[in-house]
Amino acid sequence: MSPENYLYLSALLFTIGACGVLIRRNAIVVFMCIELMLNAANLALVAFSRMHGNLDGQIAAFFVMVVAAAEVVVGLAIIVMLYRSRHSASVDDASLMKL
Amino acid sequence: MSSDVSSLVTLAQTEPVFPEIQWAALSPTLIVLGAATLGILVEAFVPRRARYATQLVLSVLALAAAFSAVIVLAVGDYGTSEALIAGAGAIAVDGPALFLQGVLALVALVSVFLFAERRLDPAEHGRPVDSFAAQPAALPGGPAEQQAVRAGWMTTDVFPLLLFATGGMMIFPAANDLLVLFIALEVLSLPLYMLCALARRRRLLSQEAAVKYFLLGAFASAFLLFGIALLYGYAGSLGYARIAAVIGGTPPELDPALAATMGNDALLLIGGAMVLMGLLFKVGAVPFHMWTPDVYQGAPTPVTGFMAAATKVAAFGALLRLLYVVLPGLRWDWEPVLWGVAILSMVAGAVIAITQTDVKRLLAYSSIAHSGFILAGVIAVSPDGVSSALFYLAAYSFVTLGAFAVVTLVRDPQGEATHLSKWAGLGRRSPLLAGVFALFLLAFAGIPLTSGFAGKFAVFRAAADAGAMGLVVVGVAASAIAAFFYVRVIVLMFFSDPQPGGPSVVIPSPLTVSVVGLAAVVTLVLGIAPQYFLDLAGQAGVFVQQAAATAR
């Protein structure tokens, strides 16, 4: 299979993730959609790495995985904290600061 | 059989190749990150009572050492003739990087004082308290939190978090590789997300700010990352020099894969746009500014001050390097886009700020407008443009820090009194504080004899010299609109009657006094005698670029 198909898949995944972030209300689901976007970028990096025949993209993918893990740690902590004080993880409910 | 086995092993290189890393040139960042790691160990091993003092001393020493290291490097001509690419092509040590690292180290040092202030709130259970929650994980107002407050716990983790964020910020403008850019972005962002959630008072607002900042920040960094992937696909490398060479049409060597992707301008244009989007989000430019007012309002005010001052410096540094080193070949494509972004930021920031009733939100919209002003210098694409943007960043960061430091001092029983109506008549009750705040507002507005004027003048002159007269006209008009609401606050403070039951100004410890004093002195000095610092920024205004042939 030619590497281009992987790129189409990664663009599709990225778009699904971006739409999810904009549409979904639950903070956890929004966060999962962001993770999907990061993974789409990983897929693109690895596919390009294969196309160009060098390893830079694959190394980058490893770094991205570590960063994504760190982001999960911070993000889930913040979202769980919000949930515990409001009993809701809905992004729309967090609107105390609207003018 | 033997071929099966040999495919499972790889031959060891007889002579291992170690990348050459110039430790001395990287020392400012390494000191800060090392101290941050040490700070985490302090949290683990030092008894609770001694932690505050230990962390404070450690952070101050580390940032002072980092600043001295920057000075030593700059004196050693690393900023000009000795500029180099350290760490196997990953990090640039040149004028703009050193200048911004110096500013960042100073801003962080001053922010540490704000973080450490413990005389603003009345002491609870006989122990002084700072601006951060006693036990951030506990429910606000719940039994666990009350217990933590009674026990006098403090979240001293804020100091290592600040150091980590500062470390990331110091790498950000120096990154010479897209991967390093991404890592630096995350290293600076993740601690900031957490710091936003830690307010002692108004925890719900603070948590909301953290969630909004986190979700939108992660969304923007995902865009940045996908843009990085596309640029990598276009150029076959993550290094800035190599990408610039491929964009310029002169790659060091050409293979069939590169020849195929090089012809695909969609990869380049979409990738470049997405990376720019991620950076403009951090800068807080319209239309990527939505997070700014909410996060600035909800975060603990010392954190807001640090974030507003330092993030902008770091993000503009990264933006400048990306535009000038990687994408100069695309100038005709990004210039009109940035024109639009700059005009939108200036006008929208200034106009929306007029309607604000909260001091922190007001300062947030003013920071959006200032992003637009700095972008005008960025668009100039000339040595003057770089140096004026650098000077503006240095001036702006201290004014911002001072303004937010003043906001922490005006309090009523509920905590900080940030509603503008409560500031009425403040100038009669505490003329000194109101006077200093008026100075900062005048600097924001760009009135002569303040650093804001010198910065704005430099930026607009650079833009005008580069032929961007339209931008200058819009910028001056936006400044006039902005001056209106700054002056309105000054009038409110000095010429209206104080309300009964209004806020009082607390007498802070020398920590906050020194922050406000230093910010005021910097504002005046940069305003009255800017030439030395303009020259300094001018000397620092040249980016180093690796020869493409030696780049990976």
Side-chain angles (χ1 to χ4, degrees), chain B residues 364-381:
Chain B
Y365 279 105
S366 118
S367 95
I368 295 171
H370 282 282
S371 297
F373 296 138
I374 305 174
L375 273 177
V378 173
I379 292 170
V381 197

Side-chain angles (χ1 to χ4, degrees), chain A residues 74-82 85, chain B residues 131-140 145 155 158 161 189-214 294-295 298-301 303-304 307:
Chain A
V74 172
L76 280 187
I78 292 175
I79 293 172
V80 166
M81 194 166 68
L82 183 87
S85 42
Chain B
S131 315
F132 300 99
Q135 175 77 298
L139 265 188
E145 187 184 41
T155 308
V158 292
L161 285 177
S189 302
L190 293 178
L192 284 181
Y193 301 148
M194 273 186 278
L195 284 171
C196 282
L198 299 184
R200 177 173 285 267
R201 310 253 190 165
R202 305 200 178 115
R203 284 281 294 291
L204 285 182
L205 282 190
S206 166
Q207 292 177 352
E208 184 179 319
V211 168
K212 285 179 174 169
Y213 194 18
F214 170 72
D294 281 355
V295 174
T301 310
V303 175
T304 312
M307 189 163 69

Side-chain angles (χ1 to χ4, degrees), chain B residues 180-391:
Chain B
V180 177
L181 181 83
F182 177 69
I183 303 290
L185 174 80
E186 294 295 332
V187 171
L188 85 86
S189 302
L190 293 178
L192 284 181
Y193 301 148
M194 273 186 278
L195 284 171
C196 282
L198 299 184
R200 177 173 285 267
R201 310 253 190 165
R202 305 200 178 115
R203 284 281 294 291
L204 285 182
L205 282 190
S206 166
Q207 292 177 352
E208 184 179 319
V211 168
K212 285 179 174 169
Y213 194 18
F214 170 72
L215 288 178
L216 292 176
F219 190 48
S221 67
F223 271 89
L224 180 101
L225 182 67
F226 204 78
I228 288 175
L230 293 182
L231 283 183
Y232 169 67
Y234 177 79
S237 164
L238 291 161
Y240 277 11
R242 183 73 183 265
I243 297 175
V246 175
I247 292 175
T250 53
E253 73 271 1
L254 199 61
D255 53 48
L258 185 58
T261 53
M262 257 180 81
N264 192 344
D265 276 348
L267 286 180
L268 172 63
L269 290 175
I270 299 176
M274 286 173 113
V275 172
L276 270 189
M277 204 188 290
L279 292 178
L280 287 174
F281 173 87
K282 277 290 153 201
V283 160
V286 180
F288 313 106
H289 67 293
M290 290 306 183
W291 59 279
T292 320
D294 281 355
V295 174
Y296 278 26
Q297 186 189 358
T301 310
V303 175
T304 312
F306 170 63
M307 189 163 69
T311 314
K312 195 153 285 194
V313 175
F316 263 111
L319 187 67
L320 277 169
R321 186 176 299 277
L322 188 83
L323 293 177
Y324 284 36
V325 175
V326 188
L327 303 176
L330 275 188
R331 186 180 160 190
W332 305 115
D333 295 297
W334 57 253
E335 218 173 44
V337 176
L338 287 187
W339 261 71
V341 171
I343 289 177
L344 275 178
S345 303
M346 291 190 279
V347 173
V351 170
I352 303 177
I354 294 178
T355 64
Q356 298 304 312
T357 53
D358 186 284
V359 181
K360 284 165 90 176
R361 282 184 93 86
L362 180 94
L363 292 176
Y365 279 105
S366 118
S367 95
I368 295 171
H370 282 282
S371 297
F373 296 138
I374 305 174
L375 273 177
V378 173
I379 292 170
V381 197
S382 61
D384 277 350
V386 181
S387 64
S388 67
L390 293 181
F391 179 83

Side-chain angles (χ1 to χ4, degrees), chain B residues 47-87:
Chain B
R48 212 178 269 278
R49 235 174 300 120
R51 271 184 218 164
Y52 169 78
T54 319
Q55 295 282 25
L56 179 57
V57 171
L58 178 66
S59 313
V60 168
L61 282 183
L63 290 166
F67 183 68
S68 327
V70 170
I71 299 289
V72 168
L73 288 177
V75 169
D77 283 339
Y78 275 94
T80 48
S81 53
E82 300 286 309
L84 60 92
I85 309 272

Side-chain angles (χ1 to χ4, degrees), chain B residues 461-475:
Chain B
R461 196 185 51 190
D465 286 349
M469 270 322 277
L471 212 55
V472 175
V473 172
V474 176

Side-chain angles (χ1 to χ4, degrees), chain A:
Chain A
M1 202 160 94
S2 75
E4 280 94 35
N5 291 335
Y6 288 99
L7 297 178
Y8 293 132
L9 176 63
S10 100
L12 189 68
L13 285 176
F14 187 83
T15 316
I16 292 173
C19 290
V21 171
L22 299 175
I23 291 170
R24 299 303 295 261
R25 300 243 166 98
N26 188 307
I28 303 266
V29 179
V30 170
F31 185 39
M32 280 163 61
C33 290
I34 292 173
E35 292 294 311
L36 188 61
M37 293 165 75
L38 292 182
N39 284 328
N42 261 354
L43 183 58
L45 279 170
V46 173
F48 280 129
S49 178
R50 169 94 181 151
M51 273 166 79
H52 285 293
N54 63 28
L55 289 178
D56 294 16
Q58 298 191 26
I59 302 291
F62 278 116
F63 276 92
V64 174
M65 279 187 241
V66 175
V67 164
E71 220 169 53
V72 168
V73 172
V74 172
L76 280 187
I78 292 175
I79 293 172
V80 166
M81 194 166 68
L82 183 87
Y83 177 78
R84 285 186 10 173
S85 42
R86 287 167 189 268
H87 298 290
S88 148
S90 167
V91 182
D92 288 356
D93 286 352
S95 58
L96 284 176
M97 282 182 288
K98 232 180 233 163
L99 257 185

